[in-house]
Amino acid sequence: MTWSAPEPSPQSSPSAWERGGTTLFPPGKLADRISTVLLLVFGALLTVVAAVVAVIATISATASCDAAAGCSPGGFFGGAAIAVGGAFVIGVATVVLAVGAWIRRRRSWWIAAIGFVLAVACITWGGVVFAGAADGAASTGSSSSTTA
């Protein structure tokens, strides 16, 4: 007994076996797969860098933040959570959708590109929230104003 490809029926189209569709990285779509993987890697690196920066900035900002200074650390934690958590969730969803497109033999670079742009938008939004909390803490803290 030998193993061979199944014989096609006269009225059906060629099967994936006959077309050579045996890998997730077919030669004709190699550029699509490479660009998708690069965008996913850049998005993951961006999320890791944002997480490190968020931890350091939150520790630094909340070190002098207390009720006596009229400061609440919630804005700092919220901004960091939006930036890092949002980018992480979008990254996971992007990986799932890209792998799903690979399994269905569809193009996937645009999924990774949209995911990267959305991750940048989440990090920017979290940064704006964090900066707003920092500005609020600076304006309600010790400030001296003179009028002439």
Side-chain angles (χ1 to χ4, degrees):
M1 171 191 248
T2 60
W3 294 95
S4 61
E7 296 297 322
S9 63
Q11 58 263 63
S12 69
S13 63
S15 67
W17 177 279
E18 294 166 337
R19 286 180 280 150
T22 59
T23 179
L24 284 176
F25 296 97
K29 294 188 178 192
L30 194 58
D32 175 63
R33 301 300 192 253
I34 290 172
S35 61
T36 300
V37 168
L38 286 176
L39 283 166
L40 292 173
V41 167
F42 289 149
L45 288 176
L46 181 70
T47 303
V48 168
V49 169
V52 170
V53 169
V55 167
I56 293 170
T58 303
I59 291 170
S60 174
T62 57
S64 62
C65 183
D66 58 1
C71 173
S72 172
F76 300 125
F77 292 125
I82 290 170
V84 177
F88 179 77
V89 169
I90 287 173
V92 169
T94 302
V95 168
V96 169
L97 291 173
V99 170
W102 287 358
I103 291 171
R104 291 187 321 266
R105 308 272 189 242
R106 305 277 188 221
R107 293 186 180 264
S108 59
W109 68 268
W110 62 273
I111 297 169
I114 289 172
F116 184 78
V117 169
L118 289 175
V120 169
C122 276
I123 291 170
T124 303
W125 181 30
V128 168
V129 170
F130 190 94
D135 286 343
S139 65
T140 61
S142 61
S143 63
S144 61
S145 62
T146 59
T147 56

